[in-house]
Coordinates of all heavy atoms in Angstrom, one line a residue:
M136 N -9.6 4.4 -2.9 CA -8.4 5.1 -2.4 C -8.4 6.4 -3.1 O -8.5 6.5 -4.4 CB -7.2 4.3 -2.6 CG -5.9 5.0 -2.3 SD -4.6 3.9 -2.1 CE -3.4 4.3 -3.3
N137 N -8.3 7.5 -2.4 CA -8.2 8.8 -3.0 C -6.8 9.1 -3.5 O -5.8 8.6 -2.9 CB -8.6 9.9 -2.0 CG -10.0 9.7 -1.6 OD1 -10.8 9.2 -2.3 ND2 -10.3 10.2 -0.4
S138 N -6.7 9.8 -4.6 CA -5.4 10.3 -5.0 C -4.9 11.2 -4.0 O -5.6 12.0 -3.5 CB -5.5 11.0 -6.4 OG -5.9 10.1 -7.4
H139 N -3.6 11.1 -3.7 CA -3.1 12.0 -2.7 C -2.8 13.4 -3.3 O -2.6 13.5 -4.5 CB -1.9 11.4 -2.0 CG -0.9 10.8 -2.9 ND1 0.0 11.5 -3.6 CD2 -0.6 9.5 -3.1 CE1 0.7 10.6 -4.3 NE2 0.4 9.4 -4.0
D140 N -2.6 14.3 -2.5 CA -2.4 15.7 -2.9 C -1.2 15.8 -3.7 O -0.1 15.4 -3.4 CB -2.3 16.6 -1.6 CG -2.4 18.1 -1.9 OD1 -1.4 18.5 -2.7 OD2 -3.2 18.7 -1.4
S141 N -1.2 16.6 -4.8 CA -0.1 16.7 -5.7 C 1.0 17.4 -5.1 O 2.1 17.3 -5.5 CB -0.5 17.4 -7.0 OG -1.0 18.7 -6.8
S142 N 0.7 18.2 -4.0 CA 1.8 18.9 -3.3 C 2.7 17.9 -2.6 O 3.8 18.3 -2.3 CB 1.3 20.0 -2.4 OG 0.6 19.3 -1.3
L143 N 2.2 16.8 -2.4 CA 3.0 15.7 -1.7 C 4.0 15.1 -2.7 O 4.9 14.4 -2.3 CB 2.2 14.7 -1.0 CG 1.2 15.2 0.1 CD1 0.3 14.1 0.6 CD2 2.0 15.8 1.2
H144 N 3.7 15.2 -4.0 CA 4.6 14.6 -5.0 C 5.9 15.3 -5.2 O 5.9 16.5 -5.6 CB 3.8 14.5 -6.3 CG 3.1 13.2 -6.5 ND1 3.7 12.0 -6.6 CD2 1.8 13.0 -6.6 CE1 2.8 11.1 -6.8 NE2 1.6 11.6 -6.7
S145 N 6.9 14.7 -4.9 CA 8.3 15.2 -5.1 C 9.1 14.0 -5.2 O 8.8 12.9 -4.9 CB 8.7 16.1 -4.0 OG 8.8 15.4 -2.8
N146 N 10.3 14.2 -5.6 CA 11.2 13.1 -5.8 C 11.9 12.8 -4.4 O 13.0 13.3 -4.2 CB 12.3 13.4 -6.9 CG 13.0 12.1 -7.2 OD1 12.7 11.0 -6.9 ND2 14.0 12.3 -8.1
S147 N 11.2 12.1 -3.6 CA 11.7 12.0 -2.2 C 11.3 10.5 -1.7 O 10.5 9.9 -2.3 CB 11.0 13.0 -1.3 OG 9.6 12.7 -1.2
P148 N 12.0 10.1 -0.7 CA 11.7 8.8 -0.1 C 10.2 8.7 0.3 O 9.6 7.6 0.1 CB 12.6 8.6 1.1 CG 13.7 9.6 0.8 CD 13.1 10.7 0.0
S149 N 9.6 9.7 0.8 CA 8.2 9.6 1.2 C 7.3 9.5 0.0 O 6.3 8.8 0.0 CB 7.8 10.9 2.0 OG 8.0 12.1 1.3
N150 N 7.7 10.1 -1.2 CA 7.0 9.9 -2.4 C 7.1 8.5 -2.9 O 6.1 7.9 -3.3 CB 7.4 10.9 -3.5 CG 6.6 10.8 -4.7 OD1 5.4 10.9 -4.6 ND2 7.2 10.6 -5.9
S151 N 8.3 7.9 -2.7 CA 8.4 6.5 -3.1 C 7.5 5.6 -2.3 O 7.0 4.6 -2.7 CB 9.9 6.1 -2.9 OG 10.7 6.8 -3.8
A152 N 7.4 5.9 -1.0 CA 6.5 5.1 -0.1 C 5.1 5.3 -0.6 O 4.3 4.3 -0.6 CB 6.7 5.6 1.3
L153 N 4.6 6.5 -1.0 CA 3.3 6.7 -1.5 C 3.1 5.9 -2.8 O 2.0 5.3 -3.0 CB 3.0 8.1 -1.7 CG 2.8 8.9 -0.4 CD1 2.8 10.4 -0.6 CD2 1.5 8.5 0.4
D154 N 4.1 5.9 -3.7 CA 4.0 5.2 -4.9 C 3.8 3.7 -4.6 O 3.1 3.0 -5.3 CB 5.2 5.4 -5.8 CG 5.3 6.8 -6.4 OD1 4.2 7.5 -6.4 OD2 6.3 7.2 -6.8
S155 N 4.6 3.2 -3.6 CA 4.5 1.8 -3.2 C 3.1 1.5 -2.7 O 2.5 0.4 -3.0 CB 5.6 1.5 -2.2 OG 5.6 0.1 -1.9
V156 N 2.5 2.4 -1.9 CA 1.1 2.2 -1.5 C 0.1 2.1 -2.6 O -0.8 1.3 -2.6 CB 0.7 3.2 -0.4 CG1 -0.8 3.2 -0.1 CG2 1.6 3.1 0.8
E157 N 0.3 2.9 -3.6 CA -0.5 2.9 -4.8 C -0.4 1.6 -5.5 O -1.4 1.0 -6.0 CB -0.2 4.1 -5.7 CG -0.6 5.4 -5.2 CD -0.4 6.6 -6.1 OE1 0.0 6.3 -7.3 OE2 -0.4 7.7 -5.7
K158 N 0.8 1.1 -5.7 CA 1.0 -0.2 -6.3 C 0.4 -1.4 -5.5 O -0.2 -2.3 -6.1 CB 2.5 -0.5 -6.5 CG 3.2 0.3 -7.5 CD 4.7 0.1 -7.6 CE 5.3 1.1 -8.6 NZ 6.7 0.9 -8.6
L159 N 0.5 -1.3 -4.2 CA -0.2 -2.2 -3.3 C -1.7 -2.2 -3.5 O -2.4 -3.2 -3.6 CB 0.2 -2.0 -1.9 CG -0.6 -2.7 -0.8 CD1 -0.4 -4.2 -0.9 CD2 -0.3 -2.3 0.6
H160 N -2.3 -1.0 -3.6 CA -3.7 -0.8 -3.8 C -4.1 -1.5 -5.1 O -5.1 -2.3 -5.1 CB -4.1 0.7 -3.9 CG -5.5 0.9 -4.2 ND1 -6.5 0.8 -3.3 CD2 -6.1 1.3 -5.3 CE1 -7.7 1.0 -3.9 NE2 -7.4 1.4 -5.1
R161 N -3.4 -1.3 -6.1 CA -3.7 -2.0 -7.4 C -3.6 -3.5 -7.3 O -4.4 -4.2 -7.8 CB -2.8 -1.5 -8.5 CG -3.1 -0.1 -9.0 CD -2.5 0.3 -10.3 NE -1.0 0.3 -10.2 CZ -0.3 1.4 -9.8 NH1 -0.8 2.5 -9.5 NH2 1.0 1.3 -9.8
A162 N -2.6 -4.0 -6.6 CA -2.4 -5.5 -6.4 C -3.6 -6.0 -5.6 O -4.1 -7.1 -6.0 CB -1.1 -5.7 -5.7
V163 N -3.9 -5.4 -4.5 CA -5.1 -5.8 -3.7 C -6.4 -5.8 -4.5 O -7.1 -6.7 -4.4 CB -5.2 -5.1 -2.4 CG1 -6.4 -5.5 -1.6 CG2 -3.9 -5.3 -1.5
S164 N -6.6 -4.7 -5.2 CA -7.8 -4.6 -6.0 C -7.8 -5.7 -7.1 O -8.9 -6.4 -7.3 CB -7.8 -3.3 -6.7 OG -8.0 -2.2 -5.8
S165 N -6.7 -6.1 -7.7 CA -6.7 -7.2 -8.7 C -7.1 -8.5 -8.0 O -7.8 -9.3 -8.5 CB -5.3 -7.2 -9.3 OG -5.1 -6.2 -10.2
A166 N -6.4 -8.7 -6.8 CA -6.7 -10.0 -6.1 C -8.1 -10.0 -5.6 O -8.7 -11.1 -5.6 CB -5.7 -10.0 -4.9
M167 N -8.7 -8.9 -5.3 CA -10.1 -8.9 -4.9 C -11.1 -9.2 -6.1 O -12.0 -9.9 -5.9 CB -10.5 -7.6 -4.2 CG -9.8 -7.4 -2.9 SD -10.2 -5.8 -2.1 CE -11.8 -6.3 -1.4
S168 N -10.7 -8.7 -7.2 CA -11.5 -8.9 -8.4 C -11.4 -10.3 -9.0 O -12.3 -10.9 -9.4 CB -11.0 -8.0 -9.6 OG -11.2 -6.7 -9.2
H169 N -10.2 -10.9 -8.8 CA -9.9 -12.2 -9.3 C -9.1 -12.9 -8.3 O -7.9 -13.0 -8.4 CB -9.1 -12.2 -10.6 CG -9.8 -11.3 -11.7 ND1 -10.9 -11.7 -12.4 CD2 -9.5 -10.1 -12.1 CE1 -11.3 -10.8 -13.2 NE2 -10.4 -9.8 -13.1
P170 N -9.8 -13.5 -7.2 CA -9.0 -14.0 -6.1 C -8.3 -15.4 -6.4 O -8.6 -16.4 -5.8 CB -10.1 -14.2 -5.0 CG -11.4 -14.3 -5.7 CD -11.2 -13.5 -7.0
T171 N -7.3 -15.4 -7.3 CA -6.6 -16.6 -7.5 C -5.4 -16.6 -6.5 O -5.0 -15.5 -6.0 CB -6.0 -16.6 -9.0 OG1 -5.1 -15.5 -9.1 CG2 -7.1 -16.5 -10.0
D172 N -4.9 -17.8 -6.3 CA -3.7 -17.9 -5.4 C -2.6 -17.0 -5.8 O -1.9 -16.4 -5.0 CB -3.2 -19.4 -5.3 CG -4.2 -20.3 -4.6 OD1 -5.0 -19.7 -3.8 OD2 -4.1 -21.5 -4.7
Q173 N -2.3 -17.0 -7.1 CA -1.2 -16.2 -7.7 C -1.4 -14.7 -7.4 O -0.5 -14.0 -6.9 CB -1.1 -16.4 -9.2 CG 0.1 -15.6 -9.8 CD 0.2 -15.8 -11.3 OE1 -0.6 -16.5 -11.9 NE2 1.2 -15.2 -11.8
L174 N -2.6 -14.2 -7.6 CA -2.8 -12.7 -7.4 C -2.8 -12.4 -5.9 O -2.3 -11.3 -5.5 CB -4.1 -12.3 -8.0 CG -4.1 -12.2 -9.6 CD1 -5.5 -11.8 -10.1 CD2 -3.1 -11.2 -10.0
I175 N -3.3 -13.3 -5.1 CA -3.3 -13.0 -3.7 C -1.8 -13.1 -3.2 O -1.4 -12.2 -2.4 CB -4.1 -14.1 -2.9 CG1 -5.6 -13.9 -3.2 CG2 -3.9 -14.1 -1.4 CD1 -6.5 -15.0 -2.7
Q176 N -1.0 -14.0 -3.7 CA 0.4 -14.0 -3.3 C 1.1 -12.8 -3.8 O 1.9 -12.2 -3.1 CB 1.1 -15.2 -3.9 CG 2.5 -15.4 -3.5 CD 2.7 -15.5 -2.0 OE1 2.0 -16.4 -1.4 NE2 3.6 -14.7 -1.4
Q177 N 0.8 -12.3 -5.0 CA 1.4 -11.0 -5.5 C 1.0 -9.8 -4.6 O 1.8 -9.0 -4.3 CB 1.0 -10.7 -6.9 CG 1.6 -11.7 -7.9 CD 1.1 -11.4 -9.3 OE1 0.1 -10.7 -9.5 NE2 1.7 -12.1 -10.3
A178 N -0.2 -9.8 -4.1 CA -0.7 -8.7 -3.2 C 0.1 -8.8 -1.9 O 0.5 -7.8 -1.3 CB -2.2 -8.8 -3.0
E179 N 0.3 -10.0 -1.4 CA 1.0 -10.2 -0.1 C 2.5 -9.8 -0.3 O 3.1 -9.2 0.6 CB 0.9 -11.7 0.4 CG -0.5 -12.0 0.8 CD -0.7 -13.4 1.2 OE1 0.2 -14.3 0.8 OE2 -1.7 -13.7 1.8
N180 N 3.1 -10.1 -1.4 CA 4.4 -9.7 -1.7 C 4.5 -8.1 -1.8 O 5.5 -7.5 -1.2 CB 5.0 -10.3 -3.0 CG 5.2 -11.8 -2.9 OD1 5.2 -12.4 -1.9 ND2 5.3 -12.4 -4.1
S181 N 3.5 -7.6 -2.4 CA 3.5 -6.1 -2.5 C 3.3 -5.5 -1.1 O 3.9 -4.4 -0.8 CB 2.3 -5.7 -3.4 OG 2.3 -4.3 -3.6
L182 N 2.5 -6.1 -0.3 CA 2.3 -5.7 1.1 C 3.7 -5.7 1.8 O 4.0 -4.7 2.5 CB 1.3 -6.5 1.8 CG 1.2 -6.2 3.3 CD1 0.6 -4.8 3.5 CD2 0.2 -7.3 4.0
S183 N 4.4 -6.7 1.7 CA 5.7 -6.8 2.4 C 6.7 -5.6 1.9 O 7.3 -5.0 2.7 CB 6.4 -8.1 2.1 OG 5.7 -9.2 2.7
H184 N 6.7 -5.4 0.6 CA 7.5 -4.4 0.0 C 7.1 -3.0 0.5 O 7.9 -2.2 0.9 CB 7.4 -4.5 -1.5 CG 8.1 -3.3 -2.2 ND1 9.5 -3.3 -2.4 CD2 7.7 -2.2 -2.7 CE1 9.8 -2.2 -3.0 NE2 8.7 -1.5 -3.2
T185 N 5.7 -2.8 0.6 CA 5.2 -1.5 1.0 C 5.5 -1.2 2.5 O 5.8 -0.1 2.8 CB 3.7 -1.4 0.7 OG1 3.5 -1.6 -0.7 CG2 3.1 -0.1 1.1
E186 N 5.3 -2.3 3.3 CA 5.6 -2.1 4.7 C 7.1 -1.6 4.9 O 7.4 -0.7 5.7 CB 5.4 -3.4 5.4 CG 3.9 -3.7 5.6 CD 3.6 -5.0 6.3 OE1 4.4 -6.0 6.0 OE2 2.6 -5.1 7.0
R187 N 8.0 -2.3 4.1 CA 9.4 -1.9 4.3 C 9.6 -0.4 3.8 O 10.3 0.4 4.4 CB 10.3 -2.8 3.5 CG 10.5 -4.2 4.1 CD 11.6 -5.0 3.4 NE 11.4 -5.2 2.0 CZ 10.6 -6.2 1.5 NH1 10.0 -7.0 2.3 NH2 10.5 -6.3 0.2
A188 N 9.0 0.0 2.7 CA 9.1 1.3 2.1 C 8.6 2.4 3.1 O 9.2 3.4 3.4 CB 8.3 1.4 0.8
V189 N 7.4 2.1 3.7 CA 6.8 3.0 4.7 C 7.7 3.1 5.9 O 7.9 4.1 6.6 CB 5.4 2.6 5.0 CG1 4.8 3.5 6.2 CG2 4.5 2.8 3.8
D190 N 8.2 1.9 6.4 CA 9.1 1.9 7.6 C 10.3 2.7 7.4 O 10.8 3.4 8.3 CB 9.5 0.5 7.9 CG 8.4 -0.3 8.6 OD1 7.4 0.3 9.1 OD2 8.6 -1.6 8.7
Q191 N 10.8 2.8 6.2 CA 12.1 3.5 5.9 C 11.9 5.0 5.9 O 12.8 5.7 6.1 CB 12.6 3.1 4.5 CG 13.2 1.7 4.5 CD 13.7 1.3 3.1 OE1 13.4 2.0 2.2 NE2 14.3 0.1 3.1
V192 N 10.6 5.5 5.8 CA 10.4 6.9 5.8 C 9.7 7.5 7.0 O 9.4 8.6 7.1 CB 9.5 7.3 4.5 CG1 10.3 7.0 3.3 CG2 8.2 6.7 4.6
T193 N 9.6 6.6 8.0 CA 8.9 7.1 9.2 C 9.5 8.3 9.9 O 8.9 9.1 10.6 CB 8.7 6.0 10.3 OG1 9.9 5.4 10.5 CG2 7.8 4.9 9.8
D194 N 10.9 8.5 9.7 CA 11.5 9.7 10.3 C 11.7 10.8 9.4 O 12.5 11.7 9.6 CB 12.8 9.2 10.9 CG 12.7 8.2 12.0 OD1 11.7 8.3 12.7 OD2 13.6 7.4 12.2
Q195 N 11.1 10.8 8.2 CA 11.2 11.8 7.2 C 10.6 13.1 7.7 O 9.6 13.2 8.4 CB 10.6 11.4 5.9 CG 11.2 10.2 5.2 CD 12.7 10.5 4.8 OE1 12.9 11.5 4.2 NE2 13.6 9.6 5.1
A196 N 11.1 14.2 7.1 CA 10.6 15.5 7.4 C 9.2 15.8 6.9 O 8.4 16.6 7.5 CB 11.6 16.6 6.8
N197 N 8.8 15.2 5.8 CA 7.5 15.4 5.2 C 6.5 14.5 6.0 O 6.1 13.5 5.5 CB 7.5 15.1 3.7 CG 6.2 15.5 3.1 OD1 5.2 15.8 3.8 ND2 6.2 15.5 1.8
R198 N 6.2 15.0 7.2 CA 5.3 14.2 8.1 C 3.9 13.9 7.5 O 3.4 12.9 7.7 CB 5.2 15.0 9.4 CG 4.7 14.1 10.5 CD 5.6 13.1 10.9 NE 4.8 11.9 11.3 CZ 5.1 10.6 11.2 NH1 6.3 10.3 10.6 NH2 4.3 9.7 11.5
N199 N 3.4 14.9 6.7 CA 2.1 14.7 6.1 C 2.1 13.5 5.1 O 1.2 12.7 5.1 CB 1.6 15.9 5.3 CG 1.3 17.1 6.2 OD1 0.9 16.8 7.4 ND2 1.4 18.3 5.7
A200 N 3.1 13.4 4.3 CA 3.2 12.3 3.3 C 3.4 11.0 4.1 O 2.8 10.0 3.7 CB 4.4 12.5 2.4
V201 N 4.2 11.0 5.1 CA 4.4 9.7 5.9 C 3.1 9.3 6.5 O 2.8 8.1 6.5 CB 5.5 10.0 7.0 CG1 5.6 8.8 7.9 CG2 6.9 10.3 6.3
E202 N 2.4 10.2 7.2 CA 1.1 9.9 7.8 C 0.1 9.4 6.8 O -0.6 8.4 7.1 CB 0.6 11.1 8.5 CG 1.3 11.4 9.8 CD 0.9 12.7 10.5 OE1 -0.1 13.3 10.1 OE2 1.5 13.0 11.5
L203 N 0.1 10.0 5.6 CA -0.8 9.5 4.5 C -0.4 8.1 4.1 O -1.3 7.2 4.0 CB -0.8 10.5 3.4 CG -1.6 10.1 2.1 CD1 -3.1 9.9 2.6 CD2 -1.4 11.0 1.0
A204 N 0.9 7.8 3.9 CA 1.3 6.5 3.5 C 0.9 5.5 4.6 O 0.5 4.4 4.3 CB 2.8 6.5 3.3
E205 N 1.2 5.9 5.9 CA 0.8 4.9 7.0 C -0.7 4.6 7.0 O -1.1 3.5 7.2 CB 1.3 5.5 8.3 CG 2.8 5.5 8.4 CD 3.3 6.2 9.7 OE1 2.5 7.1 10.2 OE2 4.4 6.0 10.1
E206 N -1.5 5.7 6.8 CA -3.0 5.5 6.8 C -3.4 4.6 5.6 O -4.2 3.7 5.8 CB -3.6 6.8 6.7 CG -5.1 6.8 6.7 CD -5.7 8.2 6.5 OE1 -5.1 9.2 6.9 OE2 -6.9 8.2 6.0
L207 N -2.9 4.9 4.4 CA -3.3 4.1 3.3 C -2.8 2.7 3.4 O -3.5 1.8 2.9 CB -2.8 4.8 2.0 CG -3.4 6.2 1.7 CD1 -2.7 6.8 0.5 CD2 -4.9 6.1 1.5
L208 N -1.6 2.5 4.0 CA -1.1 1.1 4.2 C -2.0 0.4 5.1 O -2.4 -0.8 4.8 CB 0.3 1.2 4.7 CG 0.9 -0.2 5.1 CD1 1.0 -1.1 4.0 CD2 2.3 0.1 5.8
G209 N -2.5 1.0 6.1 CA -3.4 0.4 7.1 C -4.7 -0.1 6.4 O -5.3 -1.2 6.6
E210 N -5.2 0.8 5.5 CA -6.5 0.5 4.7 C -6.2 -0.7 3.8 O -7.1 -1.6 3.7 CB -6.9 1.7 3.8 CG -7.4 2.8 4.7 CD -7.7 4.0 3.9 OE1 -7.7 4.0 2.6 OE2 -8.0 5.1 4.5
E211 N -5.1 -0.8 3.2 CA -4.8 -1.9 2.2 C -4.6 -3.2 3.0 O -5.0 -4.3 2.6 CB -3.6 -1.6 1.3 CG -3.8 -0.4 0.4 CD -5.1 -0.5 -0.4 OE1 -5.4 -1.7 -0.9 OE2 -5.8 0.4 -0.6
K212 N -3.9 -3.1 4.2 CA -3.8 -4.3 5.1 C -5.2 -4.9 5.4 O -5.4 -6.1 5.4 CB -3.0 -3.9 6.3 CG -1.5 -3.8 6.1 CD -0.9 -3.3 7.4 CE 0.2 -4.1 7.8 NZ 0.9 -3.5 9.0
E213 N -6.1 -4.0 5.8 CA -7.4 -4.4 6.1 C -8.1 -5.1 4.9 O -8.8 -6.1 5.1 CB -8.2 -3.3 6.6 CG -9.6 -3.7 7.2 CD -10.3 -2.5 7.9 OE1 -9.6 -1.7 8.6 OE2 -11.5 -2.4 7.7
R214 N -8.0 -4.5 3.7 CA -8.6 -5.0 2.6 C -8.0 -6.4 2.2 O -8.8 -7.4 1.9 CB -8.4 -4.1 1.3 CG -9.2 -2.9 1.4 CD -8.9 -1.9 0.2 NE -9.4 -2.5 -1.0 CZ -8.8 -2.4 -2.2 NH1 -7.6 -1.8 -2.3 NH2 -9.3 -2.9 -3.2
L215 N -6.7 -6.6 2.4 CA -6.1 -7.9 2.1 C -6.5 -8.9 3.1 O -6.7 -10.0 2.8 CB -4.6 -7.7 2.0 CG -3.8 -8.9 1.6 CD1 -4.3 -9.5 0.2 CD2 -2.3 -8.5 1.5
S216 N -6.6 -8.4 4.4 CA -7.0 -9.3 5.5 C -8.4 -9.9 5.2 O -8.7 -11.1 5.4 CB -7.0 -8.6 6.8 OG -7.5 -9.4 7.8
K217 N -9.3 -9.0 4.7 CA -10.7 -9.5 4.4 C -10.7 -10.4 3.3 O -11.4 -11.4 3.3 CB -11.6 -8.3 4.1 CG -11.9 -7.4 5.2 CD -12.7 -6.2 4.8 CE -13.0 -5.3 6.0 NZ -13.7 -4.1 5.6
L218 N -9.8 -10.2 2.3 CA -9.7 -11.1 1.2 C -9.2 -12.5 1.6 O -9.7 -13.5 1.2 CB -8.7 -10.5 0.1 CG -8.5 -11.4 -1.1 CD1 -9.7 -11.6 -1.9 CD2 -7.4 -10.7 -2.0
R219 N -8.2 -12.5 2.5 CA -7.7 -13.7 3.0 C -8.7 -14.5 3.7 O -8.9 -15.7 3.6 CB -6.5 -13.5 3.9 CG -5.2 -13.1 3.3 CD -4.1 -12.9 4.3 NE -3.0 -12.2 3.8 CZ -2.4 -11.2 4.5 NH1 -2.9 -10.7 5.6 NH2 -1.4 -10.6 4.0
S220 N -9.5 -13.8 4.5 CA -10.5 -14.5 5.4 C -11.7 -15.0 4.5 O -12.3 -16.1 4.8 CB -11.0 -13.6 6.5 OG -11.7 -12.5 6.0
S221 N -12.0 -14.3 3.4 CA -13.1 -14.8 2.6 C -12.6 -15.9 1.6 O -13.4 -16.6 1.0 CB -13.7 -13.6 1.8 OG -12.7 -13.1 0.8
D222 N -11.3 -16.0 1.4 CA -10.7 -17.0 0.5 C -10.6 -18.4 1.2 O -10.5 -19.4 0.5 CB -9.3 -16.6 0.1 CG -8.8 -17.4 -1.1 OD1 -9.5 -17.7 -2.0 OD2 -7.6 -17.9 -0.9
K223 N -10.8 -18.4 2.5 CA -10.6 -19.7 3.2 C -11.9 -20.5 3.2 O -12.9 -20.1 3.0 CB -10.2 -19.4 4.7 CG -8.8 -18.9 4.7 CD -8.3 -18.6 6.1 CE -6.9 -18.1 6.1 NZ -6.4 -17.8 7.3

């Protein structure tokens, strides 16, 4: 995951959504490195939280930040999905 542009960093709801996506990325990465039930569950919990955070900012004025958050969320969902399927 690439660091997002620093110009997108501001104290705003869209920034909170991007921060949430970054936390999700770390949780999914941890679960991929050590696929224990606990870490997978933590990643799934983080996914739920991040989905809510991104949903709350979909109508924000900073459309670039929202689009980036949505794109990165999609990537993390895919990574977590692959983890789930390989864990079975």
Side-chain angles (χ1 to χ4, degrees):
M136 176 160 119
N137 295 333
S138 293
H139 45 75
D140 189 301
S141 62
S142 66
L143 298 177
H144 268 293
S145 63
N146 193 8
S147 68
S149 56
N150 186 52
S151 295
L153 288 168
D154 289 344
S155 185
V156 171
E157 287 181 17
K158 289 176 186 175
L159 172 61
H160 176 77
R161 288 192 299 270
V163 173
S164 293
S165 292
M167 291 179 83
S168 296
H169 308 286
T171 65
D172 289 339
Q173 181 181 5
L174 288 178
I175 293 170
Q176 184 61 49
Q177 287 174 353
E179 290 174 348
N180 291 344
S181 183
L182 173 62
S183 296
H184 175 80
T185 303
E186 287 174 326
R187 286 191 302 276
V189 172
D190 283 346
Q191 289 176 353
V192 298
T193 54
D194 296 330
Q195 295 295 316
N197 189 346
R198 196 65 216 148
N199 289 336
V201 172
E202 288 175 4
L203 178 60
E205 290 171 339
E206 178 183 333
L207 296 173
L208 174 59
E210 290 173 9
E211 295 308 319
K212 284 173 130 176
E213 188 171 320
R214 291 176 68 217
L215 187 53
S216 176
K217 288 177 183 177
L218 178 62
R219 286 183 195 130
S220 63
S221 70
D222 189 48
K223 291 181 179 180

